[in-house]
Amino acid sequence: MTERIEITDFVTGEAVEAELFDDVAVEHFLEAQEEWRPVVVEARWKLSATGEQHLIPRHAHWDWTNKEEDLKLLAFTFYGLRCGGKLQGLMKLQTVGHRCRLPEQIGKPLVYVDYIETAPWNIKLLMRALGREPQYAPIGSVLIRAAVRKSIEEGLKGRLGLHSLPTSEQFYLHACGMESVDKDPAKQNLLWCEFTPEGAERFTTGGTL
Amino acid sequence: MKVNNDREWLKRQAALEDGDFVSVGGFVESMGVEELAGAQNVIPLRSAFARLIQLARRERNLSCEQFAARVDVDLAEVLGIEADEHYRPALRTVHQIANFLGIPDKKLLGLSGLLKVKDAQFQKAALQFAARAEPVEKLSQEEHSALEEYVKFLCER
């Protein structure tokens, strides 16, 4: 599947064409690793001068070699977003094996966001460290919207769950409107966030404000 | 469910997202690449990496150029790996070589110094291999001539 969508140029505010695709291959992870990683390292180095390097999640050290095996498994779905000839975001979903934790839908199956990352040039903190403006938005939202769609396709009505890193809580709770459930001791005390079908609908139809 | 794909939604989400991090914890604490690799551990493993590539290439009777073509990497990468233990190969190069040789990616990434390796046994085996693979046989006539000519050239300069 390849879908043409529009995203926004962060600086001009103009709409630009992008491609959302699900035929992700190991080359995409290699591309992400090779092109994203040096930018993150440079930004971390700049931030270390002001003692702010801790603001960059350790998750930046993800391991693409694990994902190569996952590409072959039906239980996982991958999405990528390309714009301006470059990969702008990647996401990995797990469609089986995870269940809801919110009391009103506890135990029901959901789609789990196992991995999601946007290119470092779309992250404000990193670009400010490098004296630049972020490039495109809203990469995270477009990917999460794709995850909600996948949940609907799987008959899970938009139910979605994930473990948010502390640096991402603002995005999931406020930009997406997901519900905060609790810190998960089994997952480094990361915050478990969840979409109900209603919450997912509010998000995808623009009712998060 | 109707999914809103209009520009208003994008604009609103762009403003709300505001260039935030979106990372999740599914893969948190996965192994560190490159900058976490302690420099003191990298050099010995890289020498094992260099010897491994060189022997694997020679075993197949391939020149560096032929090896680079078969593996689909730049010749400069192969030369850099074999000749310079400080050389940092590209991830793609290591991935391609791993595929070609049928060696797991992670193992070769560890040897190449791109991946931190905590396994003491892995390190010890790499060191032993590097030591054992160091050639001790007499030089061939061709090598002898090449060496002699090059030393002569250096002395004359």
Side-chain angles (χ1 to χ4, degrees), chain A residues 170-183:
Chain A
Q170 169 78 15
F171 169 69
Y172 290 110
L173 299 181
H174 301 292
C176 299
M178 293 181 85
E179 294 196 43
S180 157
V181 181
D182 56 14
K183 302 271 185 185

Side-chain angles (χ1 to χ4, degrees), chain A residues 6 33 124 141 145 163 172, chain B residues 4 7 10 18 22 25 91:
Chain A
E6 284 186 339
Q33 185 76 357
K124 191 183 264 186
S141 297
R145 185 175 61 181
H163 288 94
Y172 290 110
Chain B
N4 195 336
R7 289 185 179 178
L10 289 167
D18 197 29
V22 301
L91 267 171

Side-chain angles (χ1 to χ4, degrees), chain B residues 49-50 53-54 57 62-84 87 89-90 93 97:
Chain B
F49 179 60
I53 303 308
Q54 192 179 58
R57 172 178 66 73
L62 296 172
S63 66
C64 285
E65 205 164 12
Q66 290 167 330
F67 183 78
R70 292 276 296 274
V71 177
D72 187 24
V73 297
D74 284 347
L75 176 59
E77 287 277 276
V78 176
L79 292 173
I81 290 167
E82 287 198 15
D84 179 4
Y87 186 77
T93 300
I97 294 174

